[in-house]
Amino acid sequence: MTGININSDLLAEIAHRLELREPNRAAVESVAAMTSMHFDVDAKVAPFDCVVDSATGVGKTYVMAGLIEYFAGLETPARNFLLLAPGRTIRDKSIKNFSPGHRKSLTGAMASDPFVITADNFQSPATRKVMEDSSRTKLFIFTVQALTSKTGEGRATHEYQEWLGGSLFNWLSSVGDLVILADEHHCYRGPAFSKTITDLRPELVVGLTATPAKADENLVIYRYPLARAIKDQLVKTPVLVARKDDRRDDHTKLLDGVTLLRYKERLAHARCDEEGIPRINPVMLVIAQDTAEADRYQELFDSESFDNGAWIGRTLLVHSNLKGDDKEEALAALEDVEAPHSPVRIIISVGMLKEGWDVKNVYVIASMRASVSSVLTEQTLGRGMRLPFGEYTGVEMLDTVEVLAHERYEALLAKRQALNEKFIDHAVLAEIRRTADGKLVARRRVVNEEADVISSGETTAGGARHAAEQTGAPTSGSLSGELAPAGGIVDLENLLGKAKDAAEETESKVRKHYPLLDRAEISIPYTQKVPSKAVVSLNQIHDDAPFTALGKALATEADTELRRTLLRPDESGTIRGVQAEARVDALALDIPLETSRGGLVKAIMRAPSVRPEAGEARAAQRLADLLIDGMGSDAQKYLSAFWERAARRLTNLVADQLKKVANQDIVFSDEVKFQRLQKERQTTKEHLGGHSEPHSKSVAYNGWAKCLYEYAWFDTSPEYKAAQALDEAPSVIVWARLHIKDLPITWTQEGREYNPDLVAIEEVDGQRMCWLIETKMNKEANAEDVRAKAKAAKTWANTVNNSGKVDGKWHYILLTEDDVNDAGLDWKQMKAFGAR
């Protein structure tokens, strides 16, 4: 028996490409480790059966994509994956998740390029060709009923297919490398499912769920509980809302819900407008007890008597009684509810939204059942846990989901501890250890979690603001400034009052800003990513050191003597060469340096993979100049003597460097266009007349001498300090904090973009230099995505510099928190740190 075998490099690459959150990366790693433990260490037979228990809203679909990527990317890859869904809703969602071109598809970031096979296409000629290709990764997506039963939905998979020589079910059971991903694993219980798994003879079965069955507890190899997800701010914080009075009728409860929804919408729209992104429309989920009640609620919302008719035509009814076209229309509207153009603001449901529905803009849940205890289940609460902005905003009303309770406020407080017990859980992960004999093994590690998620009303209703006042943190624009929302139990009257104040304060202080007329212009170069993954560019070569080092190595004294060899026969008559004693001076060549430089550029352009384009030729000139710089002042003499040697070694070095970046990094077109930075800025933040105060995300600062705009605001303290350094630097002409879409740099093959934090223009000794500056906290600086963005930005800078169209040279630097602090507002020092 050997130790466990995990491909850590492959895991890191997958985490980068899929942008996996840390718990999702850890889930993939745990499955990889425990699978290797099962087969490589314990030498057990197939299948290895395990469960990943991950909180709703954290991203189980990403875990499945990561698992496909990992096992399809191993040296001995798996090529056949079966994704089982408990019903058609989740099956259809999964098909969209893995279908190229769909807005929710993950396949653009998947190197395995899985071909999706379903009940609708497995008999097509195209699918037949793929199934016959053992090198293609195939992803079968079926409902569990389509495989466990030989009748009804399962008839097609069990019928004899002539081209298969049997049924699809039998074909799957014979492939030998089948990996089963059982989504919503808790839905599969009973002998029929167990028999199906046995008959399919898979190598690996991974169940994914947020609520595993108690009987499967021993199968859980990774658990990321909801309490941890809330603590880590990967999902919204739940807040229980109740009235202090005795009004508990449906009309009042629903009116409370839409009132809260209206305030959240005002705050969300203000946030989106400030960031320049499409508007996010908060929606309310109403959970009815039965279909008749659901129909009655829709009639109420569609009447003039409810809130003066404000919600007429804005509801979506989804329940099991819907049939045919009505059901299809409702499901299509449900799929589209996140779109800015969707009119839906209220979703009324009975039982169809327990699993598989993952829109992010549910902000209010109104349960019309008798007790809130039934709402605080992972599957129901999970409908509102996802983050529409992708991360916490710092505005409490946008980072919470409010659950309108049927109980009175005092009754909820009394049962607070009992409610908290729903969140008490423990984390599980695979821990890799080395045994005394040096063998690597994997073991399940259990970590207890504190889970006081539901706090008393004092913290959320008033304690957060009081804490902010105690610390001097600004509270403008949110209910608790930059403090994370505490969650808990709040009374409705207090909550609505604070929500109204926050919404009105936000809207009353929206201020717009434009570039100042007396400031120098910033002209932004724009270029597009080259779409082909097979294209490489000399602009991707960022490391200058190997080229200058080659120049130094070639800077040796040229031998000016011709070596003479005499040819003489030895005693046996064999002709042998003997060095002659007399030497003759060779003709000393004196080739002009420009001629040698031009020859080196031509040699580089003949290297494999180098494209014959003008931008590439300018990039080749840069590399040739690096070699010449390394030779020093006598470069002309050395190149006159050793030009062929220099050209050969330089070409080999270029080829080696290009191999390192092939198919990995981004390549940009040298078709560069320019646009003046003059976009309108608008913000609801507090405006401060200066920038000497400590940083706060909720403040816009004034008093700049060189900022393109009168006011600027910043996400982090390093950004703020870097801006202060730029403003004080004598060489800086103008700078600006970049916002979304100001200078989008594509950093993944799938087209993901990011904007650096700052742009600055400076002049040093008559030379204009343009800087893109990215700042990161220390803990983030070495993250895979940060490194990938830096590579793309450096390639972008090289591309625009070599386009022949820019005025001045563009540079990119990444500054850590320590870099900024150690520089002490000295821009020259910051540049030195960033160039390391």
Side-chain angles (χ1 to χ4, degrees), residues 564-640:
R564 300 174 65 241
T565 302
L566 302 179
L567 299 180
R568 292 176 178 172
D570 61 11
E571 294 179 356
S572 65
T574 302
I575 301 296
R576 300 191 182 276
V578 180
Q579 183 174 323
E581 296 182 1
R583 298 193 177 191
V584 178
D585 286 343
L587 178 64
L589 298 177
D590 189 13
I591 302 172
L593 185 59
E594 286 306 311
T595 302
S596 296
R597 176 187 280 112
L600 291 176
V601 171
K602 290 180 181 178
I604 293 174
M605 295 302 292
R606 290 194 293 267
S609 302
V610 176
R611 292 171 289 140
E613 299 175 2
E616 294 296 297
R618 295 188 188 95
Q621 290 174 13
R622 183 182 76 88
L623 300 178
D625 286 342
L626 289 172
L627 178 137
I628 292 171
D629 291 344
M631 288 184 168
S633 58
D634 290 329
Q636 180 172 323
K637 181 177 71 172
Y638 299 136
L639 283 174
S640 295

Side-chain angles (χ1 to χ4, degrees), residues 156-225:
T157 62
H158 288 83
E159 283 183 342
Y160 180 85
Q161 305 291 329
E162 184 175 351
W163 64 279
L164 285 175
S167 68
L168 176 64
F169 187 96
N170 290 338
W171 185 91
L172 286 171
S173 67
S174 68
V175 293
D177 64 348
L178 185 63
V179 175
I180 295 179
L181 305 173
D183 198 6
E184 304 296 349
H185 183 264
H186 60 279
C187 297
Y188 314 131
R189 306 299 305 162
F193 177 70
S194 298
K195 184 178 186 304
T196 298
I197 297 300
T198 300
D199 292 345
L200 283 172
R201 296 185 291 183
E203 284 286 296
L204 173 63
V205 181
V206 183
L208 298 106
T209 179
T211 53
K214 290 184 178 179
D216 294 329
E217 182 62 31
N218 63 321
L219 299 179
V220 175
I221 61 167
Y222 183 81
R223 169 174 286 129
Y224 186 73

Side-chain angles (χ1 to χ4, degrees), residues 326-343:
D326 290 340
K327 180 178 180 180
E328 292 302 317
E329 185 177 334
L331 291 176
L334 188 62
E335 173 72 17
D336 208 33
V337 77
E338 281 182 317
H341 59 77
S342 172

Side-chain angles (χ1 to χ4, degrees), residues 496-568:
L496 289 181
K498 292 184 179 296
K500 179 182 179 182
D501 291 344
E504 291 181 351
E505 183 182 5
T506 294
E507 292 173 343
S508 66
K509 62 175 189 171
V510 172
R511 292 176 61 174
K512 298 180 180 180
H513 302 282
Y514 302 91
L516 296 171
L517 297 177
D518 62 342
R519 299 289 157 84
E521 294 182 1
I522 298 179
S523 184
I524 300 292
Y526 292 91
T527 184
Q528 298 296 315
K529 179 182 81 71
V530 176
S532 174
K533 293 184 181 180
V535 174
V536 292
S537 169
L538 295 174
N539 291 307
Q540 293 174 272
I541 299 176
H542 307 151
D543 190 1
D544 298 348
F547 295 89
T548 54
L550 177 59
K552 290 178 181 179
L554 291 168
T556 58
E557 284 295 329
D559 193 343
T560 60
E561 292 184 341
L562 292 176
R563 294 176 179 266
R564 300 174 65 241
T565 302
L566 302 179
L567 299 180
R568 292 176 178 172

